[in-house]
Amino acid sequence: MKTYIALDLETTGFDAETDQVIEVAAIKFQGDRIIDTFETLINPETDIPSMVSHITGINMDMVKNSPIFADIKSQLVDFIDKHPIIGHNIDFDLTFLRSKGLEITNKQFDTFELAGILLPGLPSYSLDTISRILKLKHSNKHRAMSDTMVCFELFNLLRKKINNIPKPVLSEIKSLIKKSDWDLGIVFEESESKSNDKNLKKQKAKYSSIKHPQFQSTEDILDLYDENSNLKDLIPDFETRPSQKVFTEKILDSFINEKHLIAEAGTGTGKTFGYLLPACYISNNTQEKVIISTHTNNLQDQLINKDFPILNKLFPDIKVAILKGKKKYISLTRLQFLKNKATLADFELIVLIKVILWLEETQTGDLDELNLQNKEITLLDELGCDFDSNTVPEEEEYFLHLARKKAEAANIIVVNHALLLQDAFADNQTLAEGKYLIIDEAHHLNKIGTDALTINLTPNYFRKNIDSLEKSIEQAHLKIEKQDDSLEKSIYSSRQDLEILKKTSENLFEQIVLMLNKFGKTPNDFHTILAINFLFVDTPEWNEITKTVNEIKKIGANITENLDEITKKINNIDKSSLIEFSIQKNNFRNLIENCSEVLNNFDHKIIWISKTFDENTHFQ
């Protein structure tokens, strides 16, 4: 059985170059069996900050007769030997040891990282939080041996969780690990699944329609706010609030008489429940859909998970659905595209493992459920649905189709403002059937509407789209089994034109900066801005910008024509590559259209050019 070392240090601070170690603890173990331990206080030969003493309980009196680090260095090295080292945020500890002259090349397994994969949804991944939630004994927090003991127990618990992963799933994870040199991959590779079946058999959802009204009149609804209301049995600490009753009454009146209503509901009014009751009542009695729009996705989730379960006890036949933008739902096709990469960076592999395990549990495919950290978050753009779901088979984009089916069958649909406005401007409206609309926190609607209608061109926007398209062309090219001269010509022309487009777009933003420097206003040290109106359209500077934009449009048209030819020629490649290529092609088409749009219709839009403190230039 393999031997591991669990390790933890206490230090005078966070800087390995200037701070000192004040305590070391290590446990040598095989499985659940502890073989040996190492523990000692260290004299740092410098003062211990009072904050550190407060947190750890270690003070100068305790360490004054302890060895200095150099005295225990060789003993610690012998104890660790060549065994893999386990720790919570282990990089911190090993950085300190290396700064003290220990040449550690052992494999290192971070329980913080491993817990983030195998224990999704925790409020924090600190050792304190994990030990409390998992009920691991941690009586002497921030002391090296106590932390090391928790780390040892946590590592074994996490290994057992890996062993409980269904065999087909664990096999897939192991095959992906071979594409990287991730240290933690060894933990998965050495595990053996005890389960042969998948945890979740996803079934196609069935939805029933409204059966019969629960409440016969608006008075029945308003009576719920009386002192003797049964809401006290449904809502902890429920108290009657006259303003909430008035709020509900006004909404009911606007629904029944088909009038618009603007209401300001201050803190403590109970506005959420105040509008949910009328929404359920009107939908239950008219069989018409009610759309509720919130400011953020978090508020959507709160309505669905916290508020509607209470309402369902009053209106058991009401069906509620949450609908988010298509990019919020995982694309199984794009996921496969990521899996198919020849090599994987550590963060890409971690995301793939998190997603694979999450897919065994999720009922929604909502990417907001995922626990992604730091660089991992950047992969969300590559995993979300980014194309018209109607063009993709349902079994391949299961979750987006499922969300839309639920919305079609639901009485009440909860969306956010961004999706509400996006749908309003779309050619094919998903929410067109809703007769009643409630906009919560409507004061945010103006900004979100402005953002939705704003085209913002920046150098980074151009670079990102061009780089993504170049990569997609290259990946599609490699997948093609049978090549012909016309296809090679289209690919070659696209690459040449993209290089020209890069230089032309750079030229565009250089011209914008020249115009800003000449005419722009600087309201502060961080921002230079200029509103383009008829006073500027005949200037030589604007004429040069117009000329360059038209050149970009011409180059873009040539590239788009070649991309269409490439799409026609791409046969015999895997479907995920074709879809990913189409996504990047559409993104590029939008870039060119947006670039053209900013020059049109001066009478109906505001055009700005600006430069921020970080020298980022905007054309919008």
Side-chain angles (χ1 to χ4, degrees):
M1 185 176 287
K2 197 163 191 173
T3 301
Y4 298 92
I5 303 293
L7 174 75
D8 186 71
L9 308 179
E10 300 302 333
T11 64
T12 59
F14 299 107
D15 190 335
E17 296 301 321
T18 58
D19 290 309
Q20 303 299 320
V21 178
I22 57 176
E23 189 175 32
V24 179
I27 297 174
K28 186 178 295 184
F29 66 96
Q30 292 179 344
D32 293 330
R33 183 171 69 91
I34 294 176
I35 300 170
D36 198 1
T37 62
F38 179 95
E39 180 181 16
T40 182
L41 288 167
I42 302 291
N43 186 339
E45 299 185 293
T46 187
D47 290 338
I48 299 176
S50 58
M51 179 61 73
V52 173
S53 292
H54 175 73
I55 293 173
T56 64
I58 301 172
N59 55 47
M60 291 302 298
D61 287 340
M62 295 170 62
V63 301
K64 63 184 179 182
N65 296 320
S66 299
I68 62 173
F69 188 86
D71 292 339
I72 61 95
K73 178 180 171 182
S74 60
Q75 187 181 353
L76 180 60
V77 169
D78 290 342
F79 187 88
I80 294 174
D81 198 12
K82 299 297 182 183
H83 305 303
I85 301 174
I86 317 296
H88 208 68
N89 286 315
I90 190 61
D91 272 344
F92 174 86
D93 303 279
L94 296 187
T95 300
F96 262 88
L97 294 183
R98 290 184 182 114
S99 73
K100 305 307 174 191
L102 275 70
E103 296 181 4
I104 297 176
T105 57
N106 306 46
K107 290 290 185 182
Q108 59 189 69
F109 302 147
D110 193 340
T111 51
F112 176 87
E113 192 172 47
L114 196 58
I117 296 170
L118 297 169
L119 302 173
L122 299 190
S124 164
Y125 287 88
S126 69
L127 205 57
D128 182 23
T129 300
I130 293 175
S131 62
R132 188 172 64 253
I133 291 174
L134 299 183
K135 296 181 171 54
L136 302 176
K137 187 178 180 182
H138 197 193
S139 57
N140 210 357
K141 297 169 187 174
H142 301 296
R143 288 299 301 270
M145 182 52 77
S146 181
D147 287 356
T148 303
M149 186 62 71
V150 172
C151 192
F152 152 70
E153 293 178 358
L154 176 60
F155 179 69
N156 282 324
L157 183 149
L158 294 173
R159 285 202 300 172
K160 290 174 184 175
K161 287 188 73 68
I162 295 174
N163 288 334
N164 288 325
I165 295 174
K167 188 172 183 179
V169 180
L170 186 57
S171 296
E172 183 179 17
I173 291 172
K174 288 180 179 181
S175 67
L176 291 171
I177 286 170
K178 293 175 182 176
K179 298 182 179 185
S180 87
D181 56 2
W182 183 48
D183 273 4
L184 271 173
I186 297 172
V187 181
F188 287 87
E189 288 176 330
E190 293 178 344
S191 299
E192 292 296 331
S193 175
K194 297 178 181 177
S195 171
N196 289 312
D197 300 319
K198 290 207 169 189
N199 294 335
L200 180 64
K201 303 290 186 183
K202 294 185 177 67
Q203 302 292 332
K204 293 189 180 294
K206 296 181 180 179
Y207 310 102
S208 59
S209 58
I210 299 170
K211 295 177 181 178
H212 55 78
Q214 184 84 0
F215 296 88
Q216 298 298 323
S217 69
T218 58
E219 289 302 317
D220 293 336
I221 296 295
L222 296 176
D223 286 346
L224 289 171
Y225 291 108
D226 290 347
E227 288 287 347
N228 298 322
S229 168
N230 60 3
L231 286 182
K232 292 183 178 180
D233 299 327
L234 299 179
I235 305 174
D237 304 319
F238 174 79
E239 59 182 48
T240 58
R241 284 172 279 190
S243 58
Q244 188 181 34
K245 183 175 183 179
V246 172
F247 183 61
T248 296
E249 185 176 16
K250 293 293 184 183
I251 295 175
L252 284 168
D253 179 65
S254 71
F255 280 166
I256 291 170
N257 295 301
E258 298 188 359
K259 299 185 299 184
H260 297 304
L261 172 69
I262 298 176
E264 183 176 357
T267 302
T269 305
K271 67 178 177 66
T272 304
F273 198 80
Y275 67 65
L276 289 180
L277 268 177
C280 291
Y281 171 79
I282 200 71
S283 183
N284 205 36
N285 282 271
T286 66
Q287 300 190 30
E288 294 283 356
K289 289 184 184 296
V290 178
I291 297 170
I292 298 175
S293 181
T294 69
H295 175 42
T296 65
N297 288 321
N298 287 339
L299 287 174
Q300 284 182 275
D301 295 331
Q302 178 182 316
L303 286 177
I304 292 291
N305 299 321
K306 179 181 176 183
D307 298 310
F308 270 112
I310 296 173
L311 270 299
N312 269 137
K313 294 177 182 177
L314 297 172
F315 300 91
D317 297 322
I318 284 287
K319 301 296 179 185
V320 181
I322 185 171
L323 190 60
K324 298 184 179 182
K326 59 186 178 182
K327 291 185 179 180
K328 287 291 183 179
Y329 298 97
I330 189 164
S331 163
L332 301 180
T333 306
R334 299 190 80 192
L335 173 63
Q336 188 61 47
F337 187 78
L338 182 59
K339 289 179 183 179
N340 288 345
K341 288 185 67 172
T343 60
L344 294 168
D346 286 359
F347 80 96
E348 291 176 319
L349 178 59
I350 291 170
V351 169
L352 282 174
I353 295 174
K354 286 182 176 182
V355 169
I356 289 168
L357 296 177
W358 167 69
L359 284 173
E360 292 299 299
E361 305 290 339
T362 183
Q363 301 285 345
T364 67
D366 182 352
L367 289 167
D368 284 336
E369 296 175 357
L370 275 173
N371 167 45
L372 301 186
Q373 305 292 326
N374 303 321
K375 197 173 182 180
E376 298 167 11
I377 296 171
T378 62
L379 283 182
L380 288 176
D381 282 343
E382 298 182 30
L383 291 174
C385 293
D386 197 17
F387 41 85
D388 184 359
S389 66
N390 295 324
T391 66
V392 181
E394 181 175 338
E395 63 272 13
E396 294 184 24
E397 296 311 323
Y398 171 81
F399 291 109
L400 178 58
H401 283 278
L402 177 63
R404 291 183 173 177
K405 279 187 175 181
K406 284 183 177 179
E408 289 172 8
N411 308 96
I412 297 175
I413 307 171
V414 182
V415 301
N416 61 24
H417 297 344
L419 179 59
L420 180 71
L421 293 173
Q422 176 186 321
D423 189 76
F425 300 137
D427 294 331
N428 300 315
Q429 295 179 322
T430 307
L431 306 175
E433 296 180 14
K435 181 178 180 180
Y436 301 101
L437 173 64
I438 296 172
I439 302 177
D440 192 358
E441 296 194 318
H443 56 285
H444 292 291
L445 203 60
N446 183 46
K447 181 182 184 306
I448 292 173
T450 301
D451 292 342
L453 292 170
T454 297
I455 295 171
N456 188 14
L457 302 178
T458 66
N460 186 56
Y461 178 44
F462 272 88
R463 280 194 300 269
K464 183 178 179 181
N465 274 275
I466 293 172
D467 289 347
S468 296
L469 182 57
E470 285 181 326
K471 187 185 298 184
S472 188
I473 290 173
E474 179 63 25
Q475 290 170 336
H477 193 200
L478 292 172
K479 294 279 186 178
I480 298 171
E481 295 179 0
K482 184 178 180 180
Q483 302 176 6
D484 57 50
D485 292 340
S486 62
L487 177 60
E488 291 294 330
K489 182 178 178 181
S490 295
I491 290 175
Y492 177 79
S493 297
S494 296
R495 287 169 171 164
Q496 293 295 106
D497 284 338
L498 283 170
E499 286 300 319
I500 297 172
L501 183 61
K502 283 181 186 178
K503 295 175 182 177
T504 308
S505 63
E506 290 169 2
N507 186 35
L508 170 65
F509 288 100
E510 288 172 1
Q511 293 168 346
I512 289 173
V513 170
L514 288 174
M515 189 166 188
L516 276 171
N517 291 340
K518 185 171 182 178
F519 301 110
K521 295 181 180 181
T522 307
N524 54 56
D525 293 337
F526 310 107
H527 201 195
T528 304
I529 192 166
L530 176 65
I532 303 298
N533 55 42
F534 291 103
L535 296 174
F536 298 102
V537 294
D538 291 327
T539 62
E541 290 80 9
W542 183 252
N543 287 335
E544 286 298 313
I545 290 173
T546 302
K547 180 180 176 182
T548 303
V549 170
N550 287 329
E551 192 176 341
I552 288 173
K553 290 162 56 179
K554 183 179 178 181
I555 300 168
N558 291 338
I559 294 171
T560 300
E561 185 177 338
N562 279 315
L563 294 179
D564 290 338
E565 286 300 312
I566 295 171
T567 302
K568 292 176 185 177
K569 295 283 185 178
I570 296 179
N571 300 312
N572 304 323
I573 69 171
D574 68 309
K575 193 173 295 182
S576 61
S577 293
L578 180 59
I579 289 176
E580 193 67 23
F581 181 81
S582 299
I583 289 170
Q584 301 307 331
K585 183 180 76 171
N586 289 336
N587 288 343
F588 178 78
R589 195 191 305 271
N590 290 336
L591 167 66
I592 301 303
E593 289 176 356
N594 288 341
C595 196
S596 175
E597 182 66 22
V598 292
L599 292 182
N600 299 329
N601 302 323
F602 272 80
D603 291 333
H604 299 94
K605 67 176 65 170
I606 301 171
I607 299 176
W608 298 90
I609 56 177
S610 61
K611 183 173 66 174
T612 53
F613 71 96
D614 56 0
E615 298 297 314
N616 197 12
T617 309
H618 297 257
F619 188 5
Q620 56 191 171

